[in-house]
Amino acid sequence: MLAFAQLIYSLDINIVFVALPEIGAGLGFSEHTLQWVVSAYTVCCGGFLLFGGRAADLLGQRRVFISALWVYALSSLAGGLAWSPVIIVIARAIQGIGAAMLFPSTLSLINRLFEEGPSRNRALAIWGGAGASGLTLGSLAGGILTSFCGWPAVFFVNVVLAAIAISAAFFVLPKDSLRNERRRFDFPGALTVTMGATLLVYAIVQGPEDGWLSGHILLLLVLAAVFLLAFAAIESRSHDPLMPLRLFRNRSLATGMVITFIYMGTFGALPYFLTVMFQSVMGYSALQTGLAFIIPSLAIFAGTQLGARLANWLPVRTTLLAGFLTGTAGTLALVPAAFSGASYAEILPGLVISGAGQGIVWTAMWIASGSGVKHNEQGIASGMASTTLNVGNAIGIALLIALSGSGAENLQLETSVSSLENAIQLAFYLAAAGQMAGLLVSHLLPFKAATGVSAETT
């Protein structure tokens, strides 16, 4: 049930990419505004994750989980019925808020219902298999649905999936436990962190388009810093803070947050560049692009299961090292196959190896992020880790696009194929370098045995 909900969340991250040209043509988007079909979702999701995580702790994880699915279903329906660019961008923004409630409530339910150690690791592997594979399956579903049913289908499919999940949740998930202590919602903290995070993600998303040194981008970054500093000041004085600052003393959680950031900025950015490569370099149709992601999706799923097994046998730190090493090797193997005359067979080894490493890291990093956290703080801990995940994706794609210097971000066919080839190859090199950074950060994790018993204090 929780894995199914995670599949819905992950599918929606990439499912729209393949349909963007059809959405732009169908609704009359300009070349410079089409990106907001993606960016509206990213900005609102990144801005509301901490809010969603704390809401799960205070209002009840199942209650927030079901509410998030309702938000997802209704906003997806509005997106599929959209008749103008404004309507679909608003729908995507509301979808992002639903995602910001769904992800941390789902993860915190797993961490609450399964005891830390092998049982939780197995649960996270199943959940992670659905989530990590969903990032790639989104491209597959987007290609198939767009080709056979038109672009509205990439929204309507979420309505059906969310309805199934809502119905099942009432029968599968236990009711929220009653809490005797009185807890108040930290509204000033929620307001400042939501504003700060939203402005930060907006600036990161819009920076490559408008220029990092443009006046309004610099202003947004300054305002984001002011709100986030105000949030830190509020939390340090609050009797019942939205995000207890002492959680940063949990070294496993703090390191896990850095790893989620690196993960989504490297592994999570690959489907974007692979989509550009398949369509604009190798000349695949939307359907062919979707089909090309089937095998790597299976590799990611297999990697998540292997990640749980490794985490039960070895320290989580060692599992992360193995995942990042495997993923780096696979990403580097993509480079020599990124040219217009390449066959699918030539790029397949890199896709499989990279996918396996991606799956291993995905499972292990969530094990790390949930270790040593109290049940009544799992929601905010999940929100903290998922915020860095979301921000990492926005920054990662923006940096890889900017540093590759390609113009490939617009998926413009008039851009020369040779320049796209060079840009995508450079993006793969940069992603591999980022994955090596993740390998180094993994060394900061406290040593923990496979049973979850710490061998040193955090």
Side-chain angles (χ1 to χ4, degrees), residues 95-156:
Q95 262 190 330
I97 296 173
M101 297 165 60
L102 182 63
F103 189 96
S105 61
T106 303
L107 183 55
S108 60
L109 275 166
I110 290 175
N111 289 335
R112 182 185 66 130
L113 297 176
F114 296 91
E115 184 180 356
E116 187 173 331
S119 62
R120 183 184 295 178
N121 294 352
R122 286 192 295 270
L124 284 170
I126 297 172
W127 172 84
S133 298
L135 293 173
T136 309
L137 284 172
S139 298
L140 168 63
I144 294 174
L145 291 172
T146 301
S147 296
F148 289 102
C149 306
W151 67 261
V154 303
F155 293 94
F156 291 145

Side-chain angles (χ1 to χ4, degrees), residues 49-396:
L49 277 165
L50 283 174
F51 178 91
R54 197 52 166 169
D57 287 335
L58 298 181
L59 303 178
Q61 293 157 340
R62 190 182 84 154
R63 187 175 295 112
V64 171
F65 175 84
I66 293 173
S67 299
L69 288 169
W70 272 109
V71 173
Y72 230 95
L74 294 175
S75 59
S76 296
L77 180 63
L81 295 174
W83 60 89
S84 72
V86 172
I87 298 299
I88 199 168
V89 169
I90 293 174
R92 286 288 285 169
I94 297 173
Q95 262 190 330
I97 296 173
M101 297 165 60
L102 182 63
F103 189 96
S105 61
T106 303
L107 183 55
S108 60
L109 275 166
I110 290 175
N111 289 335
R112 182 185 66 130
L113 297 176
F114 296 91
E115 184 180 356
E116 187 173 331
S119 62
R120 183 184 295 178
N121 294 352
R122 286 192 295 270
L124 284 170
I126 297 172
W127 172 84
S133 298
L135 293 173
T136 309
L137 284 172
S139 298
L140 168 63
I144 294 174
L145 291 172
T146 301
S147 296
F148 289 102
C149 306
W151 67 261
V154 303
F155 293 94
F156 291 145
V157 68
N158 282 329
V159 179
V160 177
L161 296 176
I164 294 171
I166 291 169
S167 301
F170 286 102
F171 299 99
V172 175
L173 297 180
K175 291 183 178 180
D176 296 314
S177 58
L178 297 176
R179 296 181 174 88
N180 295 323
E181 71 271 20
R182 294 180 62 85
R183 305 283 296 277
R184 71 178 183 87
F185 190 77
D186 179 13
F187 181 77
L191 178 63
T192 51
V193 75
T194 300
M195 288 296 297
T198 301
L199 291 173
L200 176 61
V201 177
Y202 180 92
I204 291 169
V205 168
Q206 197 65 17
E209 179 74 22
D210 296 345
W212 291 106
L213 297 181
S214 61
H216 69 284
I217 293 296
L218 292 175
L219 176 61
L220 289 173
L221 290 172
V222 170
L223 289 175
V226 169
F227 276 113
L228 293 175
L229 288 172
F231 170 69
I234 291 169
E235 298 307 279
S236 67
R237 294 173 172 81
S238 176
H239 175 70
D240 197 6
L242 177 78
M243 185 181 73
L245 298 181
R246 57 181 167 72
L247 286 176
F248 286 101
R249 294 199 296 267
N250 180 332
R251 204 165 92 206
S252 186
L253 172 60
T255 306
M257 290 172 62
V258 178
I259 292 173
T260 61
F261 178 90
I262 293 172
Y263 174 94
M264 206 59 183
T266 57
F267 286 117
L270 290 181
Y272 174 86
F273 290 95
L274 288 170
T275 299
V276 175
M277 185 185 71
F278 286 140
Q279 291 189 324
S280 298
V281 174
M282 301 175 73
Y284 287 10
S285 67
L287 176 59
Q288 289 172 321
T289 299
L291 294 174
F293 281 106
I294 291 179
I295 295 179
S297 296
L298 296 175
I300 294 170
F301 183 84
T304 60
Q305 309 312 301
L306 178 58
R309 291 177 181 272
L310 290 175
N312 286 336
W313 298 333
L314 303 168
V316 175
R317 185 196 329 184
T318 306
T319 303
L320 283 168
L321 294 177
F324 275 118
L325 280 172
T326 304
T328 301
T331 302
L332 290 174
L334 294 173
V335 175
F339 63 95
S340 58
S343 66
Y344 186 69
E346 289 176 282
I347 201 167
L348 189 58
L351 292 174
V352 171
I353 297 170
S354 176
Q358 180 176 341
I360 293 171
V361 175
W362 178 272
T363 299
M365 73 185 186
W366 293 117
I367 293 172
S369 299
S371 296
V373 179
K374 298 177 181 177
H375 286 315
N376 64 349
E377 292 178 335
Q378 284 290 350
I380 189 59
S382 300
M384 291 164 66
S386 53
T387 296
T388 55
L389 183 85
N390 187 277
V391 173
N393 186 240
I395 291 179

Side-chain angles (χ1 to χ4, degrees), residues 335 400 402-405 420-432:
V335 175
L400 290 178
L403 293 176
S404 63
L420 280 177
E421 289 175 359
N422 294 334
I424 292 169
Q425 289 170 2
L426 179 55
F428 289 154
Y429 276 127
L430 293 170

